[in-house]
Amino acid sequence: MDRIRIRGGRPLAGEIVIGGAKNAALPLMAAGLLTDERLLLSNVPRLADIQTMTALLQQHGIAVDPADNDGRTLSIGGAIGSTEAPYDIVRKMRASVLVLGPLLARVRAARVSLPGGCSIGTRPVDLHLKGLEQMGAQIDLQGGYIDARVEGRLRGATILFPFISVGATENLLMAAALADGRTVLANAAREPEIGDLATCLVAMGARIEGIGTDRLIIDGVEALHGAHHSIIPDRIETGTYACAAAISGGSVFLRHAQLEHLGATMRILREAGVDVTQEADGLMVRRLNGLHGVDVMTEPYPGFPTDMQAQFMALMSVAEGAAMVTETIFENRFMHVPELNRMGARINVHGASAIVRGVPTLSGAPVMATDLRASVSLILAGLAARGETVVNRVYHLDRGYEAVEQKLAACGAEIERLPS
Ligand code: UD1
């Protein structure tokens, strides 16, 4: 298994190009199941999770072909041959469950492996299933699989989510696009990736109102057609490299980053002492003075994202004063804490909150990545640490960060991948 070695202490300087959003690309690829025609997606990031979704679509009989030289535009389409999403693919990536709504809407049957637990918590899919049942689907759970079918078309329904779920909103939005009648999704998630999905569905012929709000109104149509859609820049990659600039005491231009998608992230970084300015086609991020501790609580968009929690904690570990970081979305998302503490951080976890007491410097150490965002938080810590840090199990990182070591090295970081 590959490892990444970093020798810390160099301020970053230069430019990093922000890629297309992973969490927008995955549901957009699943939307390719909704039509016979070709869906062209551009600005697709080159990531392991995209390969997993490609394998899943291919398993359903759908062709996924590169439509440009660098593989960032994908052409998706074809007839659905198999309605089964097997355990071997779903266990690698929870977002595989996003094929459920589209398969059911288009061919009226789906057999999708239950995703099961993952390192950051149990993460059930009950909201996805209840919503589809409200739309007329019959769902049985057996042998670790969701067996779903519907007589005729799915039917429009009013679905009030008891709490906010990104994936359930996406699955039901795609299902509703082809349902018979009107669907209202109330207390829907408002993440920019959902707006991106809805915009693409509209380009495919869907009728959706309320895009960008927590109430989506969808008037189902009988068929959708092909479209060409360009994926929004990744706001989590943006926030991560903003933390990299800040923790290293440097200044980096984040090309293509969009301030309006960043919600609370940039406000919190500014409160912590990071200078962020909007420029043409990107954001300039600098650390001018010292960092200070700021309390944060993860929340659905536009609140502070759970996917930025680990990176922000790494930053707070070298800030002046204390910061309380509270995780409200996932129950087990502090696995980076013992690893950061091995590098000299002073972090104590009390239930859903962690108290981070800033230290003047971290020291390099061998550490273990446990999930996607945890792994990148260790890289950030390594950039600031004295001496050498080796991050093991970097396959987590490759799921969500394209060429992280090249992007950081181009800004002066001493970082390299050690192949297994
Ligand atoms: C998506 C993102 C992930 C991010 C998360 C929260 C993708 C591919 N992944 O994940 O990176 O961390 O949003 O912003 O976009 N829940 C239930 N029942 C359900 C669905 C969810 O109890 O049916 C719970 C989950 O366990 C979790 C919370 O709701 O505690 C939020 O999960 P959700 O918003 O659905 O996250 P994902 O769509 O899985």
Side-chain angles (χ1 to χ4, degrees), residues 69-141:
N69 288 337
D70 63 3
R72 290 182 194 283
T73 300
L74 294 179
S75 163
I76 299 169
I80 293 170
S82 158
T83 54
E84 176 156 336
Y87 175 67
D88 261 2
I89 299 183
V90 179
R91 74 181 168 80
K92 283 195 204 152
M93 185 182 74
R94 258 185 66 84
S96 306
V97 80
L98 292 173
V99 300
L100 179 62
L103 285 172
L104 207 45
R106 174 101 178 282
V107 292
R108 299 168 187 186
R111 184 173 142 80
V112 177
S113 170
L114 278 164
C118 73
S119 58
I120 61 173
T122 51
R123 300 180 86 178
V125 290
D126 52 322
L127 299 187
H128 304 235
L129 303 186
K130 277 186 199 134
L132 291 169
E133 279 175 339
Q134 274 184 265
M135 297 176 78
Q138 241 206 299
I139 294 181
D140 295 307
L141 300 182

Side-chain angles (χ1 to χ4, degrees), residues 60-276:
H60 293 308
I62 301 289
V64 181
D65 302 312
D68 63 359
N69 288 337
D70 63 3
R72 290 182 194 283
T73 300
L74 294 179
S75 163
I76 299 169
I80 293 170
S82 158
T83 54
E84 176 156 336
Y87 175 67
D88 261 2
I89 299 183
V90 179
R91 74 181 168 80
K92 283 195 204 152
M93 185 182 74
R94 258 185 66 84
S96 306
V97 80
L98 292 173
V99 300
L100 179 62
L103 285 172
L104 207 45
R106 174 101 178 282
V107 292
R108 299 168 187 186
R111 184 173 142 80
V112 177
S113 170
L114 278 164
C118 73
S119 58
I120 61 173
T122 51
R123 300 180 86 178
V125 290
D126 52 322
L127 299 187
H128 304 235
L129 303 186
K130 277 186 199 134
L132 291 169
E133 279 175 339
Q134 274 184 265
M135 297 176 78
Q138 241 206 299
I139 294 181
D140 295 307
L141 300 182
Q142 45 184 317
Y145 275 78
I146 304 162
D147 261 313
R149 69 207 155 273
V150 61
E151 293 283 331
R153 284 167 74 190
L154 287 168
R155 294 182 289 280
T158 295
I159 295 160
L160 171 62
F161 294 110
F163 53 88
I164 293 174
S165 161
V166 172
T169 302
E170 291 167 341
N171 231 335
L172 297 175
L173 174 62
M174 290 188 279
L178 284 182
D180 186 10
R182 171 168 285 196
T183 299
V184 178
L185 300 179
N187 197 27
R190 301 187 268 161
E191 270 64 5
E193 294 76 22
I194 292 171
D196 206 34
L197 172 64
T199 303
C200 177
L201 292 173
V202 168
M204 294 167 75
R207 293 169 55 200
I208 304 171
E209 280 170 44
I211 296 175
T213 74
D214 65 354
R215 191 177 172 84
L216 294 165
I217 301 168
I218 306 106
D219 286 306
V221 295
E222 278 187 30
L224 294 174
H225 50 74
H228 183 182
H229 178 81
S230 180
I231 296 168
I232 54 171
D234 196 312
R235 65 194 165 97
I236 306 299
E237 192 188 23
T238 302
T240 301
Y241 287 122
C243 286
I247 203 168
S248 73
S251 68
V252 177
F253 179 64
L254 303 176
R255 186 164 297 281
H256 306 324
Q258 281 184 9
L259 196 58
E260 71 269 25
H261 292 159
L262 292 170
T265 304
M266 283 303 150
R267 179 174 55 75
I268 298 282
L269 284 176
R270 281 173 173 152
E271 269 179 50
V274 184
D275 183 62
V276 185

Side-chain angles (χ1 to χ4, degrees), residues 154-404:
L154 287 168
R155 294 182 289 280
T158 295
I159 295 160
L160 171 62
F161 294 110
F163 53 88
I164 293 174
S165 161
V166 172
T169 302
E170 291 167 341
N171 231 335
L172 297 175
L173 174 62
M174 290 188 279
L178 284 182
D180 186 10
R182 171 168 285 196
T183 299
V184 178
L185 300 179
N187 197 27
R190 301 187 268 161
E191 270 64 5
E193 294 76 22
I194 292 171
D196 206 34
L197 172 64
T199 303
C200 177
L201 292 173
V202 168
M204 294 167 75
R207 293 169 55 200
I208 304 171
E209 280 170 44
I211 296 175
T213 74
D214 65 354
R215 191 177 172 84
L216 294 165
I217 301 168
I218 306 106
D219 286 306
V221 295
E222 278 187 30
L224 294 174
H225 50 74
H228 183 182
H229 178 81
S230 180
I231 296 168
I232 54 171
D234 196 312
R235 65 194 165 97
I236 306 299
E237 192 188 23
T238 302
T240 301
Y241 287 122
C243 286
I247 203 168
S248 73
S251 68
V252 177
F253 179 64
L254 303 176
R255 186 164 297 281
H256 306 324
Q258 281 184 9
L259 196 58
E260 71 269 25
H261 292 159
L262 292 170
T265 304
M266 283 303 150
R267 179 174 55 75
I268 298 282
L269 284 176
R270 281 173 173 152
E271 269 179 50
V274 184
D275 183 62
V276 185
T277 47
Q278 171 94 66
E279 296 188 2
D281 194 29
L283 294 176
M284 190 70 208
V285 182
R286 304 182 189 87
R287 191 175 102 199
L288 301 174
N289 303 307
L291 294 166
H292 33 264
V294 177
D295 296 347
V296 293
M297 187 188 280
T298 62
E299 287 173 327
Y301 189 82
F304 188 83
T306 175
D307 287 350
M308 277 300 303
Q309 183 256 102
Q311 302 89 310
F312 188 72
M313 201 182 283
L315 187 65
M316 290 295 93
S317 69
V318 293
E320 201 176 301
M324 184 160 82
V325 177
T326 304
E327 173 59 56
T328 72
I329 310 288
F330 293 112
E331 75 262 32
N332 186 24
R333 209 173 191 178
F334 284 140
M335 274 149 2
H336 41 286
V337 168
E339 300 301 304
L340 289 171
N341 284 348
R342 295 188 61 247
M343 297 177 69
R346 285 180 62 209
I347 308 172
N348 289 309
V349 175
H350 304 273
S353 294
I355 307 290
V356 189
R357 293 187 177 82
V359 296
T361 47
L362 297 172
S363 57
V367 285
M368 187 77 86
T370 49
D371 70 60
L372 170 54
R373 307 302 168 182
S375 9
V376 86
S377 78
L378 301 174
I379 297 217
L380 297 181
L383 292 175
R386 232 181 306 125
E388 183 176 290
T389 297
V390 176
V391 182
N392 292 286
R393 288 211 199 152
V394 296
Y395 62 88
H396 290 292
L397 199 67
D398 297 330
R399 290 188 48 201
Y401 289 91
E402 182 178 331
V404 64

